[in-house]
Amino acid sequence: MAATGTYAQVYAGWKRDPEGFWMQAAKAIDWAVPPSRALNAGHAPLYEWFTDARVNTCWNAVDRHVEAGRGDQVAIIHDSPMTQTVRKITYGELRDRVALLAGALRAKGVKKGDRVIIYMPMVPEALEAMLACARLGAIHSVVFGGFAANELAVRIDDCRPRAIIAASCGLEPGRVVHYKPLIDAAINQAGHKPDFCVIFQREQEVAQLTAGRDVDWHSFQFGVAPADCVPVEGNHPAYILYTSGTTGAPKGVVRHTAGHLVALNWTMSAIYRCEPGDVFWAASDVGWVVGHSYICYGPLIAGCTTIVFEGKPVGTPDAGTFWRVIQDHGVKSFFTAPTALRAIKREDPDGRLLEDYDLSGLTALYLAGERADPATVDWAGRHLKVPVVDHWWQTETGFAIAANPLGIEVLPFKSGSPSVAMPGFDVQVLDEGGHPVPPGTLGAIAVKLPLPPGTLPTLWQAEDRFRKSYLDHFPGHYETGDAGYVDADGYLYIMARTDDVINVAGHRLSTGAMEEVLASHPDVAECAVIGVADDLKGQMPLGFLCLNKGCTRPAADVAKDCVKLVRDKIGPVAAFKTACVVDRLPKTRSGKILRGTMVKIADGQSYKMPATIDDPAILTEIAAALRGLGYPPA
Ligand code: COA
Ligand code: AMP
């Protein structure tokens, strides 16, 4: 049950007594040893929650529902338009499957604290692998299937896994993603070598196993004893999830076990209005934070049925797929990214396909991952006839910082705003000097420390980077990296990132990482990558290259190489399709590339000539290059 009272009362109640608020929420979790207190401020400004508790995530997400007599309830529905199959797994079956998989991992030496990388497409086995790790207290790190081998290698070297669990392939429209060669290349490249790999063979492609290292998902479970849940300390890492930062090295966001359980469980009723037995669907991917929190853990911890969807919003087979899934499985709350709706709207602007389906069970649509443009929100509300909740969060926070908490109170909606701060988050809009700005004034968005349970306590083996990235700029606050403002009613408006992160089709990418790849090309002397506005994907990366003096290769060839290089090094998910060669990049007198001004020119926005610009004529050259690429669009 969500806390009782209006939103204002619940939020004020949290502010008055944050520890009491979270201790109350903690009552909904099954503890091996309950916490004696909520907050551990012993190492401020690094904070932990429920440190002295003992608890197991898998127990709370699976076993306890079976113990409570709901073993026959469906836990996971796998709906795959890619393979044209639907498969259902009950909580009882899930418990048995996960216990056996955990037993097999344990038999191969995986124990509490070991890291396990999971590299899998949208199949239930991905969730089972996550839960099996949780059962043993092993720390999983799921890597999104759209990343290239190099990105996988970077993660292997950073978290040093004992094992990798993977599928033989993923399925994208029109192509099979061969996972095994990617894994082999990554392990080859990485300095750290995992002890073994477990390969889940899909019938669409059977991978050749590497003798002595790879084991088959089914045969390695044969004859092993199932494993029981291992209670772990409240501050034991449940998982590491890498996300893009300013540089090419991804940040390993750590999630502690107890806070994760308490916070996600709280959100399922307070924000998503879901109770045990309800069907919840997040159309994301297990490789992203939305997949962790709301395909796997949140719905299962709350005893809901979750949907693992292997398909796209359009083309699998058409723009009615989402509505078919909602109808067929009786989805109550649905979560997707605005870009997915834009793709549907583009194919079916009048919502004709919606008329073919009975969506009467749907009570709300939730959007996150990028700014929800008002036109898309309006379109969805008009056609679905349910509240459309834009909510704002990040990999780092693991759940919504701001939302319209329908399970507490349906607040008035405001166009362009993800509504109000959730309990746990004291959101401040600050100027460069760290002073709060008045309502309506743009500033950097920060959250007063401590952050609530379930948010990142640190980065994996990189405490200094954690402090530098998030805590040092505004002492006493967590710096979100987003800029925006609050209105007089306390509604937040998230306008842009303050760093080099861009958001492409709801995927968080680093332009800095792309620049590192471009700079590695032997003909490239200098480069810049910017994110330009895109009608479908929100933003698209665009690269500018300055070539070395004396380079004799045609500019178009180098640009083509560079597009391929980013795909090979970062992966198709980077969606890096355009690079152009220019003579010079616009810079300040101190040598800083004026990326922000370039974005404004590309997007057709007015801009002030930066006072510190070295040579204003270069902006004219950039504008001409952009016009050649079709920017700004007519
Ligand atoms: N494994 C391998 N490759 C993947 C992949 C995966 N899991 N996911 C995406 N890719 C590939 C795509 O096949 C595409 O490759 P291509 O360049 O060969 O065409 C590339 O990465 C870019 O993918 P994407 O940006 O998703 O574009 P798209 O054109 O395939 O699809 C949308 C466009 C809008 C339909 C799609 O982006 C979408 O559904 N977005 C929603 C994203 C989402 O839910 N994000 C979750 C955040 S909450
Ligand atoms: P990720 O860590 O991939 O979830 O990306 C987090 C970033 O996506 C945030 O810092 C924002 O820049 C952006 N984002 C997520 N949700 C929203 C939203 N509802 N409105 C605006 N931006 C959002």
Side-chain angles (χ1 to χ4, degrees), residues 362-449:
L362 185 70
T363 65
L365 167 69
Y366 295 83
L367 299 176
E370 58 176 322
R371 185 173 157 72
D373 55 291
T376 302
V377 173
D378 290 351
W379 182 88
R382 210 166 52 247
H383 291 291
L384 290 170
K385 300 182 180 63
V386 295
V388 180
V389 178
D390 174 18
H391 59 333
W392 168 56
W393 51 300
Q394 312 182 310
T395 305
E396 288 85 344
T397 63
F399 69 101
I401 308 168
N404 195 325
L406 302 192
I408 297 175
E409 179 188 2
V410 183
L411 296 171
F413 287 88
K414 292 199 190 192
S415 179
S417 169
S419 301
V420 293
M422 289 297 90
F425 294 98
D426 183 349
V427 179
Q428 306 277 321
V429 183
L430 306 176
D431 66 17
E432 236 335 279
H435 309 294
V437 297
T441 309
L442 200 66
I445 308 184
V447 182
K448 255 199 186 152
L449 294 174

Side-chain angles (χ1 to χ4, degrees), residues 82 145-146 169-178 182 312 567 571-573:
M82 297 304 301
C169 68
L171 303 172
E172 283 292 292
R175 85 188 151 97
V176 172
V177 184
H178 313 289
L182 293 171
K312 301 275 173 179
R567 192 178 172 97
V573 67

Side-chain angles (χ1 to χ4, degrees), residues 272 280-284 289-291 293-295 322 326 331 333-338 340 362 364-369 389 391 393 400:
Y272 302 106
F280 182 89
W281 178 26
S284 178
V289 68
V290 174
S293 294
Y294 294 113
I295 295 174
F322 277 9
I326 291 169
V331 173
S333 294
F334 174 45
F335 183 159
T336 189
L362 185 70
L365 167 69
Y366 295 83
L367 299 176
V389 178
H391 59 333
W393 51 300

Side-chain angles (χ1 to χ4, degrees), residues 147-164:
F147 282 123
N150 175 61
E151 292 286 328
L152 187 53
V154 167
R155 287 155 175 77
I156 292 173
D157 274 337
D158 197 70
C159 78
R160 306 177 66 78
R162 182 176 291 276
I164 296 180

Side-chain angles (χ1 to χ4, degrees), residues 76-128:
I76 300 176
I77 300 173
H78 183 225
D79 187 308
S80 170
M82 297 304 301
T83 58
Q84 299 188 353
T85 56
V86 173
R87 183 156 66 111
K88 297 185 180 177
I89 299 170
T90 65
Y91 271 102
E93 289 164 343
L94 184 62
R95 191 220 14 217
D96 295 347
R97 292 169 65 90
V98 170
L100 203 59
L101 178 60
L105 291 170
R106 185 180 57 187
K108 296 270 305 166
V110 175
K111 56 185 188 315
K112 181 184 164 204
D114 285 344
R115 274 79 59 209
V116 175
I117 280 188
I118 298 172
Y119 189 57
M120 296 184 96
M122 288 298 287
V123 291
E125 285 76 8
L127 277 64
E128 290 171 6

Side-chain angles (χ1 to χ4, degrees), residues 518 528-529 540-545 559 563 575-580 629 631:
L518 299 179
V529 174
M540 279 292 269
L542 197 62
F544 294 86
L545 313 168
V563 167
F576 185 81
K577 309 262 183 205
T578 315
C580 72
L629 297 170
Y631 294 100

